[in-house]
Amino acid sequence: VSDDIRNLLRALAEQVNAQLPSALQRLGGPERLREAMAYTLLAPGKRLRPALVMLAAQAAGGEHSAARSAAVAVEMVHTYSLIHDDLPAMDDDDLRRGRPTCHRQFDEATAILAGDALLTGAFQILAEDYPPKTASLCCLELARGAGSGGMVGGQADDLAWERQRGPGAPATVADLEQVHSRKTGALFRACVRLGAIVVQGEQTGDSLSRSLSALDRFGRFFGLAFQITDDLLDVEGDAESIGKGVRKDAARGKLTYPGLIGADQSRKKAGEAIQTAMQAARELGMNGEPLVALAGYLLERRQ
Ligand code: IPE
Ligand code: IPE
Ligand code: MG
Ligand code: MG
Ligand code: MG
């Protein structure tokens, strides 16, 4: 199973990688800004979110190709979030996707602007590439997942907990689940919903809402499990294979699963979230099988 899913992920990553340079080209802009955008966007990321967009399109009964532009848009938003996440005012990291972080390679202002441009560019791609009704539904979905009620809100929570660390601010697993669901779960949820929307297009009604509700649950729990495994990799992984610094979370006083409940309990929580995600994907029938397999692969990931 693992080998199949690895091959599938590689093939989907190739599809999205083939689209990224021309999408960037279309956004235009001054040379140094474009270089900074390309520097982190084209660096070797796993392209997991784009893969989810395409696999969700398949689960909703469509073709991967229908979801390509949505996949590109999501990768742009994700990459912006990484560039900003690494800034000195946030996690202050030096290594990303196996390279110096964007602000290290260029400068802080350029990294901030490269992030801004990738974020806005994502909405341009959606608006240019889909018919108006589909485009507006996609923009809505992505804005909700990425904005203050989703990822940005989760990043704000993440930093707030970091700054309140120590006695007087005892966190609970429920607090942590909320941080992770927002900062990571919300964008994963948007990914799978986008996949369904580009396939169903102008349609509404029962079949769309049935697949949306299963995909929604899949995305939320997959995202939660993904962030738990990210926290575990910070503790147990090596910088070489994950392409970013390790042992940073505890040093910064981050609220993380292994920090709060230990590695074993964290693996258990990730396992539970994965089971819930798998169950949701099974409701999608045959077309949902790759999503089931992808969820199963999460616990074994080493990068
Ligand atoms: C890192 O995401 C940020 C988190 C939400 C944990 P990925 O691990 O998907 O990063 P890339 O895209 O492969 O670099
Ligand atoms: C980042 O979480 C989540 C984002 C929204 C970018 P982390 O701060 O743990 O991600 P890494 O470990 O730096 O990739
Ligand atoms: Mg962070
Ligand atoms: Mg970080
Ligand atoms: Mg992390």
Side-chain angles (χ1 to χ4, degrees):
V1 175
S2 273
D3 271 357
D4 288 353
I5 197 73
R6 274 196 191 91
N7 290 334
L8 176 63
L9 279 176
R10 195 171 308 123
L12 295 172
E14 274 167 24
Q15 278 198 49
V16 69
N17 286 340
Q19 306 291 317
L20 293 174
S22 60
L24 268 182
Q25 189 74 28
R26 274 156 61 191
L27 299 180
E31 194 174 328
R32 187 175 161 81
L33 178 63
R34 288 164 55 170
E35 268 176 34
M37 292 159 77
Y39 174 78
T40 308
L41 184 68
L42 305 183
K46 292 183 288 296
R47 312 302 186 212
L48 191 57
R49 291 159 194 77
L52 279 174
V53 179
M54 292 188 270
L55 292 177
Q58 176 181 346
E63 301 289 331
H64 294 159
S65 58
R68 267 188 208 143
S69 294
V72 166
V74 158
E75 188 63 16
M76 285 181 170
V77 169
H78 167 58
T79 302
Y80 125 76
S81 82
L82 299 179
I83 294 174
H84 283 195
D85 180 76
D86 290 334
L87 287 168
M90 296 190 71
D91 292 353
D92 192 13
D93 273 309
D94 299 331
L95 189 69
R96 173 64 68 184
R97 293 180 165 173
R99 304 176 176 182
T101 46
C102 193
H103 67 275
R104 283 277 181 186
Q105 182 72 17
F106 294 87
D107 55 80
E108 264 182 63
T110 303
I112 291 169
L113 294 170
D116 293 340
L118 287 167
L119 172 61
T120 38
F123 292 95
Q124 181 179 331
I125 299 291
L126 291 172
E128 283 178 355
D129 290 0
Y130 292 105
K133 182 77 193 302
T134 305
S136 94
L137 289 171
C138 287
C139 287
L140 177 62
E141 206 57 58
L142 190 54
R144 283 189 173 144
S148 51
M151 184 192 51
V152 170
Q155 290 285 68
D157 288 341
D158 173 283
L159 293 174
W161 279 110
E162 178 186 323
R163 281 156 199 172
Q164 279 175 45
R165 66 176 174 259
T172 63
V173 174
D175 294 323
L176 188 48
E177 195 176 306
Q178 189 182 60
V179 176
H180 282 25
S181 296
R182 282 205 187 118
K183 82 171 180 182
T184 305
L187 192 59
F188 277 100
R189 171 178 178 268
C191 287
V192 288
R193 291 176 59 97
L194 282 169
I197 289 168
V198 297
V199 168
Q200 313 263 352
E202 322 276 311
Q203 287 174 11
T204 48
D206 279 2
S207 94
L208 177 64
S209 60
R210 258 200 313 278
S211 39
L212 270 185
S213 100
L215 284 168
D216 192 289
R217 221 169 334 117
F218 176 86
R220 281 188 287 125
F221 284 93
F222 186 96
L224 173 62
F226 185 80
Q227 186 63 47
I228 300 175
T229 57
D230 183 81
D231 290 353
L232 281 165
L233 284 171
D234 179 84
V235 177
E236 299 174 341
D238 62 284
E240 181 81 32
S241 23
I242 65 176
K244 59 187 185 188
V246 290
R247 292 358 133 219
K248 303 265 311 186
D249 290 343
R252 287 194 71 83
K254 289 284 190 199
L255 180 58
T256 65
Y257 272 82
L260 190 67
I261 60 174
D264 288 344
Q265 284 301 312
S266 301
R267 259 187 295 276
K268 191 162 161 255
K269 287 276 179 201
E272 286 165 11
I274 288 168
Q275 289 304 324
T276 308
M278 283 175 154
Q279 240 162 36
R282 287 200 188 96
E283 289 173 28
L284 298 156
M286 271 283 288
N287 287 333
E289 283 303 318
L291 291 174
V292 178
L294 190 58
Y297 169 72
L298 263 193
L299 261 190
E300 332 167 356
R301 80 183 180 102
R302 291 289 170 269
Q303 54 169 27

